[in-house]
Amino acid sequence: AQTLRSELASEIRSELEHEIRETMENEMQSRLEHHRQTMTERYDAELEKNVRERLGKEKREWEREHRQSQEERFQRTVEEGANRAVEEAVTEAVEKERERARLEMMRVREGIKKVLERERKLMREQVKQATVQVREWVAKQREVQQQQQLLSGGQHGGSGDSSN
């Protein structure tokens, strides 16, 4: 009976150990599964949080760079447009000034031509008058000489005549 008892006890112990082991394994499996699921959820949540933060940071950085790039392009475009406008305005002003100076020079040349023509005309008149005066003077001088010759010839011959 003792052997039976001990066999029975051994069998019961074996079954209990087996049940306890199974129960503990199941419980451990269940706990491990729960713990794994909890850890996976935490890890996924942390990973998602990190990914969102990193993506948000990357997006803000890209937007900042993109905005700076757009602002720089806009600034360059504005500067280039302004420079072109200033250059065109300066070129236009220079061309207008050149045209104005050219027209002014034409007026000055015309004025100088008119003055020179008047001067030439006056000089011709003066030369004509001087020529007339010289001719008159020369004619008078000849006349005076002729009269003097007549008088001096008459005085020589006249002294003979004057005795008459």
Side-chain angles (χ1 to χ4, degrees), residues 2 5 9 26 31 62 65 71 74 93 106 131 140 142:
Q2 252 217 1
R5 207 182 215 180
N26 286 341
R31 282 186 183 172
W62 181 84
E65 288 174 0
E71 288 172 3
F74 177 74
M106 284 175 57
T131 304
K140 280 186 184 181
R142 276 190 197 150

Side-chain angles (χ1 to χ4, degrees), residues 15-115:
E15 280 181 30
L16 278 174
E17 279 179 5
H18 181 69
E19 278 181 32
I20 290 173
R21 231 185 242 142
E22 249 182 52
T23 305
M24 284 184 80
E25 281 179 6
N26 286 341
E27 195 176 314
M28 285 293 272
Q29 281 290 356
S30 176
R31 282 186 183 172
L32 281 173
E33 184 60 31
H34 178 70
H35 187 64
R36 186 191 62 75
Q37 192 171 358
T38 304
M39 291 301 284
T40 301
E41 288 172 2
R42 283 184 189 166
Y43 177 76
D44 288 348
E46 188 68 27
L47 183 62
E48 185 178 341
K49 177 184 164 195
N50 288 343
V51 166
R52 285 182 190 274
E53 285 176 0
R54 185 165 179 193
L55 284 176
K57 183 179 177 184
E58 291 290 327
K59 181 181 177 188
R60 285 188 299 276
E61 182 67 23
W62 181 84
E63 286 173 344
R64 184 182 62 78
E65 288 174 0
H66 185 70
R67 193 172 33 255
Q68 281 179 340
S69 174
Q70 281 182 327
E71 288 172 3
E72 288 170 359
R73 280 195 306 266
F74 177 74
Q75 192 66 23
R76 272 195 310 270
T77 302
V78 167
E79 285 178 15
E80 289 169 358
N83 288 342
R84 266 194 311 274
V86 166
E87 192 172 310
E88 288 171 4
V90 166
T91 301
E92 185 178 329
V94 166
E95 287 302 316
K96 282 182 180 178
E97 187 58 28
R98 281 184 183 156
E99 182 63 17
R100 188 193 66 71
R102 188 184 67 77
L103 292 173
E104 184 65 26
M105 285 302 291
M106 284 175 57
R107 283 192 289 275
V108 167
R109 282 186 196 129
E110 288 300 314
I112 290 172
K113 272 173 119 176
K114 287 179 182 177
V115 167

